[in-house]
């Protein structure tokens, strides 16, 4: 069952060091993937995304950490953790973390009180497979949702029809606004520019954000699927791993299929990570847990990748199953077992038949011996009648 994530801000509890780290806990969601981004602007920060963990309830959890190298910036700025979860149509900031002196910062001309606005592009899965792409405009850290307006436009001046915006109250008592705009896939691919204009009584003038597809040289992903290890240690679960690397831009979708059908069981996918190469590119890992019994049945598992740089339908699939060598070995083992049983039964039947025959011969031979003295006596009478 698809479950929307819950998000909690995590802040340090000890004395102020030379750098400051914040955390964003995303928990109780299903299935993967989930994306976590931080509003940091041009600050000198670093982020670390920890691997996905499976909870006892079967749901998932992950944590993202933001480290700010300048404690002064930490003290003045509001940091927002934005979470996207496509399976539950969640694409909004769920929590915000402020520095100790940022609760009432000096307002700027455009975004007083730390109000931030984001535009999120459509996922490749929605764009090329489901053919229902949407843009998302997020407004966070509003003290009130009253009087908010969100207006979408596009450079070509063609008409647009957005979905009604939704408001969500956050744990820090602020509000976030989510507005989505269905777009035509061809228009987005052709490079159309879209704008989201936000007005609010707290804003001295509207906030305008624009978005178009990312510029840069397109690089199709390389996909590799790794088989489970041979030694399982008596476990009834196996893990398949899909490595997707050297792709650009970073927008990518990953699905797992079982015999050609969408596999809804447990799998996890990391966020795109940058590679240390001369050309900007990304890589990710996706893991799928399967049962040992399913693997033994020669079930086919497929890692499907959706990315705009791929030709044709923009998808690439790599399939794995129990190798022919393993199947042939298993069949030979079964044939050898059957042969051994047949030979054993054949030898047993031969032994049984020989034993029965021996008993019969012995009985006939004994009978003949018992009758031999009488026969010799009669023969002697014929030769010597007067004896």
């Amino acid at each position: 069952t698809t479950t929307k994530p819950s998000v909690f801000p995590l802040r340090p509890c000890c004395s102020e060091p030379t750098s400051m780290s914040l955390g964003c806990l995303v928990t109780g969601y299903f299935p993967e993937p989930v994306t976590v981004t931080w509003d940091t602007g041009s600050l000198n920060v670093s982020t670390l995304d920890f691997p996905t963990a499976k909870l006892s309830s079967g749901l998932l959890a992950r944590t993202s950490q933001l480290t700010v190298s300048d404690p002064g910036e930490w003290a003045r700025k509001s940091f927002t953790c934005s979470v996207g979860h496509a399976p539950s149509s969640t694409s909004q900031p769920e929590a915000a973390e402020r520095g100790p002196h940022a609760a009432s910062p000096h307002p700027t001309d455009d975004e007083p009180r730390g109000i931030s606005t984001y535009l999120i592009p459509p996922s490749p899965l929605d764009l090329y497979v489901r053919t229902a792409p949407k843009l998302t405009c997020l407004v966070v850290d509003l003290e009130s949702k009253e009087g908010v307006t969100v207006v979408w436009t596009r450079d070509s001046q063609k008409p647009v029809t957005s979905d009604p915006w939704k408001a969500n109250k956050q744990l820090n008592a602020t509000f976030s606004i989510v507005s989505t705009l269905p777009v035509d896939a061809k228009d987005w691919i052709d490079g159309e520019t879209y704008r989201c204009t936000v007005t609010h009584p707290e804003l001295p003038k509207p906030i305008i954000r624009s978005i178009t597809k990312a510029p840069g040289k397109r690089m199709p992903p390389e996909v590799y699927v790794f088989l489970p290890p041979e030694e399982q240690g008596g476990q009834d679960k196996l893990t398949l791993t899909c490595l997707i690397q050297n792709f650009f831009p970073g927008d990518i979708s990953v699905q797992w299929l079982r015999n050609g059908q969408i596999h809804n069981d447990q799998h996890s996918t990391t966020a795109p990570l940058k590679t240390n190469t001369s050309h900007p590119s990304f890589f990710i890992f996706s893991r799928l847990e399967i049962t040992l019994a399913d693997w033994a049945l020669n079930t086919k598992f497929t890692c499907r990748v959706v990315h705009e740089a791929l030709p044709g339908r923009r998808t690439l699939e790599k399939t794995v199953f129990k190798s022919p060598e393993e199947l042939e070995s298993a069949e030979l083992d079964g044939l050898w077992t059957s042969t051994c049983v047949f030979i054993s039964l054949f030898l047993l039947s031969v032994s049984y038949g020989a034993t029965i025959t021996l008993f019969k011969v012995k009985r006939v031979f004994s009978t003949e011996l018992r009758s031999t003295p009488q026969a010799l006596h009669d023969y002697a009478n014929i030769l010597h009648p007067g004896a």
Side-chain angles (χ1 to χ4, degrees):
T1 302
T2 300
T3 305
K4 179 181 177 180
S6 297
V7 183
F8 303 93
L10 307 174
R11 61 188 301 168
C13 62
C14 305
S15 59
E16 293 188 9
T18 56
S19 63
M20 189 64 65
S21 293
L22 305 174
C24 185
L25 172 62
V26 187
T27 184
Y29 67 91
F30 188 85
E32 286 279 28
V34 69
T35 60
V36 181
T37 58
W38 290 88
D39 171 29
T40 60
S42 59
L43 297 182
N44 185 16
V45 300
S46 61
T47 59
L48 176 62
D49 293 322
F50 293 91
T52 301
K54 185 175 182 180
L55 306 177
S56 58
S57 61
L59 300 178
L60 307 176
R62 65 178 302 178
T63 304
S64 179
Q65 177 180 292
L66 172 74
T67 301
V68 185
S69 59
D70 184 358
E73 291 291 348
W74 146 253
R76 293 187 296 270
K77 185 173 174 57
S78 171
F79 297 89
T80 302
C81 167
S82 299
V83 176
H85 185 235
S88 64
S89 300
T90 299
S91 183
Q92 62 186 38
E94 293 283 351
E97 181 61 71
R98 297 173 179 264
H101 307 298
S104 300
H106 298 292
T108 65
D109 290 340
D110 294 335
E111 300 175 16
R113 300 182 178 87
I115 294 175
S116 300
T117 304
Y118 310 88
L119 279 184
I120 299 176
S123 70
L125 185 62
D126 288 339
L127 191 60
Y128 303 111
V129 178
R130 296 171 179 162
T131 61
K134 288 185 177 183
L135 298 175
T136 303
C137 184
L138 310 176
V139 187
V140 300
D141 231 5
L142 290 166
E143 293 189 357
S144 170
K145 64 180 179 179
E146 302 301 327
V148 174
T149 62
V150 181
V151 178
W152 289 89
T153 56
R154 49 193 293 186
D155 278 4
S156 64
Q157 303 302 316
K158 293 181 180 180
V160 295
T161 303
S162 62
D163 299 327
W165 59 262
K166 299 178 181 179
N168 297 278
K169 190 171 184 179
Q170 307 304 324
L171 297 177
N172 62 355
T174 64
F175 288 88
S176 63
I177 301 296
V178 182
S179 177
T180 57
L181 174 70
V183 297
D184 182 84
K186 185 177 184 302
D187 291 342
W188 174 261
I189 295 170
D190 289 343
E192 175 70 289
T193 298
Y194 297 84
R195 284 182 171 80
C196 173
T197 302
V198 180
T199 60
H200 189 272
E202 298 178 16
L203 299 173
K205 64 179 182 180
I207 298 177
I208 303 176
R209 294 286 184 267
S210 63
I211 189 172
T212 188
K213 72 174 187 179
K217 181 182 178 181
R218 268 46 189 168
M219 299 173 59
E222 303 168 4
V223 181
Y224 307 91
V225 181
F226 300 98
L227 299 175
E230 296 181 359
E231 298 297 332
Q232 301 303 323
Q235 298 181 0
D236 61 351
K237 294 285 187 180
L238 302 176
T239 300
L240 301 177
T241 303
C242 186
L243 167 64
I244 305 104
Q245 66 176 10
N246 297 332
F247 59 89
F248 184 87
D251 299 323
I252 197 167
S253 298
V254 181
Q255 292 178 300
W256 284 90
L257 311 180
R258 180 184 182 276
N259 285 336
Q261 302 298 318
I262 299 297
H263 193 56
N264 294 319
D265 287 351
Q266 169 65 31
H267 74 275
S268 58
T269 304
T270 64
L273 303 171
K274 291 184 178 180
T275 59
N276 295 322
T277 58
S278 57
H279 298 287
S281 63
F282 297 86
F283 71 95
I284 61 174
F285 287 96
S286 184
R287 300 170 68 253
L288 174 69
E289 278 192 356
I290 63 175
T291 63
L292 188 61
D294 216 7
W295 181 251
L297 290 175
N298 198 26
T299 303
K300 294 183 178 181
F301 295 94
T302 301
C303 177
R304 172 191 285 174
V305 177
V306 187
H307 190 266
E308 68 171 276
L310 292 169
R313 299 181 61 185
R314 318 283 180 152
T315 61
L316 178 60
E317 298 181 354
K318 288 297 179 72
T319 300
V320 294
F321 53 93
K322 196 174 179 67
S323 67
E325 291 79 7
E326 291 176 334
L327 290 175
E328 182 179 354
S329 176
E331 291 174 355
L332 290 176
D333 289 343
L335 179 61
W336 174 246
T337 301
S338 301
T339 302
C340 290
V341 172
F342 174 78
I343 293 174
S344 299
L345 292 175
F346 175 75
L347 293 176
L348 183 62
S349 64
V350 170
S351 175
Y352 177 77
T355 303
I356 296 299
T357 302
L358 179 62
F359 276 112
K360 287 183 178 180
V361 171
K362 182 178 179 181
R363 189 169 64 179
V364 172
F365 183 69
S366 299
T367 302
E368 290 179 353
L369 288 178
R370 287 195 298 269
S371 62
T372 296
Q374 182 62 38
L376 293 175
H377 181 269
D378 294 341
Y379 181 69
N381 290 337
I382 293 174
L383 295 177
H384 307 283

